[in-house]
């Protein structure tokens, strides 16, 4: 009997700790979220500024959407409030409290939400989003792809011409290395700090900035490809 009481006490303590952790996480999110956020498609081709407030509203908290939101992202016309659900879900909701879109944090200050049939949307701190936009503008222009020994193998131009949802056109210059010519990227985007090159076949190459201000293809190999700004 004593063993059963100990087990019961241990289980109760465990669930109490879980409940406390949930409450703490929910409270933290409620305190951290008020402020200005950017709601956007993954690569910011369509954006909307959302101001989350700490004032209570029916089934949640108040928010404001900038006037341009409904034209940029039509689903936002149904959003009237926000709330925190479960452990880590930030919900933008309609007048009945139902989710218009639910977000979960994927990186510090960056939340992702999925709308079925539409795709992924990003919610992030407005200042950070605008800094990212500046970074993307700096990507536009001519680049050279070289091997690890510095040998040039291809030239390409990243543009800001839209080429489908969240992607932009990229053009290869003549006389590229056979492997790159075969890959033949036609679109690009900047995503979570990576340059993504996309082929017509849907293949993707990712490049990450290294400590030398170069962009190396990942995962790294013994014979790496590096993108250099021209």
């Amino acid at each position: 009997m004593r063993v059963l009481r100990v087990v019961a006490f241990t289980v109760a303590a465990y669930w109490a700790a879980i409940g406390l952790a949930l409450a703490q996480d929910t409270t933290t999110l409620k305190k951290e979220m008020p402020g200005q956020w950017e709601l956007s498609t993954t690569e910011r081709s369509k954006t909307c500024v959302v101001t989350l407030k700490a004032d209570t509203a029916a089934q949640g908290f108040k928010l404001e959407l900038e006037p341009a939101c409904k034209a940029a992202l039509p689903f936002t016309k149904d959003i009237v409030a926000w709330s925190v659900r479960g452990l880590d879900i930030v919900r933008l909701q309609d007048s009945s409290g139902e989710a218009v879109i639910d977000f979960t944090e994927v990186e510090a200050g960056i939340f992702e939400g999925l709308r079925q049939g539409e795709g992924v949307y990003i919610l992030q701190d407005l200042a950070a989003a605008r800094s990212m936009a500046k970074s993307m503008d700096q990507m536009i222009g001519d680049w050279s792809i070289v091997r690890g020994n510095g040998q040039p193998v291809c030239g390409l131009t990243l543009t800001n011409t839209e080429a489908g949802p969240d992607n932009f056109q990229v053009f290869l210059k003549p006389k590229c290395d056979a492997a790159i010519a075969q890959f033949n990227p036609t679109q690009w985007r900047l995503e979570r700090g990576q340059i993504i090159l996309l082929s017509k076949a849907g293949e993707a190459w990712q490049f990450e900035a290294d400590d030398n201000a170069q962009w190396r293809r990942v995962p790294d190999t013994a014979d790496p490809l590096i993108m250099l700004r021209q």
Side-chain angles (χ1 to χ4, degrees):
M1 183 64 71
R2 182 179 178 184
V3 172
L4 291 177
R5 285 199 299 268
V6 170
V7 170
F9 177 80
T10 302
V11 171
Y14 169 79
W15 285 111
I18 292 294
L20 178 60
L22 289 172
Q24 287 175 336
D25 286 347
T26 300
T27 300
T28 299
L29 269 180
K30 287 178 180 178
K31 289 180 178 179
E32 291 180 347
M33 294 306 296
Q36 286 192 304
W37 295 78
E38 181 186 83
L39 171 60
S40 70
T41 50
T42 52
E43 282 317 309
R44 303 184 71 255
S45 59
K46 297 179 181 178
T47 66
C48 162
V49 176
V50 183
T51 302
L52 303 183
K53 300 185 174 183
D55 306 317
T56 57
Q59 304 187 57
F61 300 92
K62 294 180 180 180
L63 58 73
E64 286 184 0
L65 299 168
E66 68 175 354
C69 286
K70 293 179 183 179
L73 302 169
F75 69 85
T76 60
K77 64 181 174 57
D78 298 321
I79 297 173
V80 300
W82 72 279
S83 62
V84 174
R85 302 286 177 166
L87 177 61
D88 59 355
I89 295 174
V90 175
R91 172 169 293 180
L92 302 185
Q93 60 195 44
D94 61 21
S95 57
S96 65
E98 292 298 314
V100 176
I101 184 168
D102 281 339
F103 289 94
T104 54
E105 193 168 25
V106 292
E107 296 179 25
I110 300 178
F111 296 76
E112 279 190 3
L114 174 67
R115 279 181 58 83
Q116 294 295 333
E118 295 184 26
V120 174
Y121 293 88
I122 304 296
L123 186 70
Q124 62 179 316
D125 176 79
L126 182 61
R130 288 179 173 169
S131 176
M132 177 183 290
K134 183 178 179 181
S135 297
M136 184 171 174
D137 289 342
Q138 294 170 347
M139 300 295 107
I140 304 302
D142 293 329
W143 292 74
S144 176
I145 297 181
V146 304
R147 297 203 179 276
N149 61 7
Q151 177 190 359
V153 292
C154 191
L156 71 163
T157 302
L158 304 183
T159 78
N160 58 359
T161 303
E162 290 190 17
D166 306 319
N167 296 327
F168 303 90
Q169 289 183 347
V170 56
F171 297 100
L172 290 187
K173 295 184 178 181
K175 300 180 180 178
C176 282
D177 178 89
I180 299 173
Q182 183 177 3
F183 170 51
N184 190 25
T186 58
Q187 300 182 29
W188 77 281
R189 65 173 178 262
L190 189 63
E191 181 176 299
R192 296 185 192 174
Q194 291 185 336
I195 294 176
I196 312 293
L197 299 181
L198 301 158
S199 71
K200 285 185 178 179
E203 186 182 359
W205 286 7
Q206 293 89 18
F207 292 80
E208 285 186 353
D210 63 17
D211 295 336
N212 299 313
Q214 302 172 341
W215 294 76
R216 300 172 68 91
R217 188 182 173 196
V218 292
D220 211 353
T221 64
D223 185 21
L225 290 177
I226 300 169
M227 288 182 63
L228 300 177
R229 192 74 163 86
Q230 297 298 289

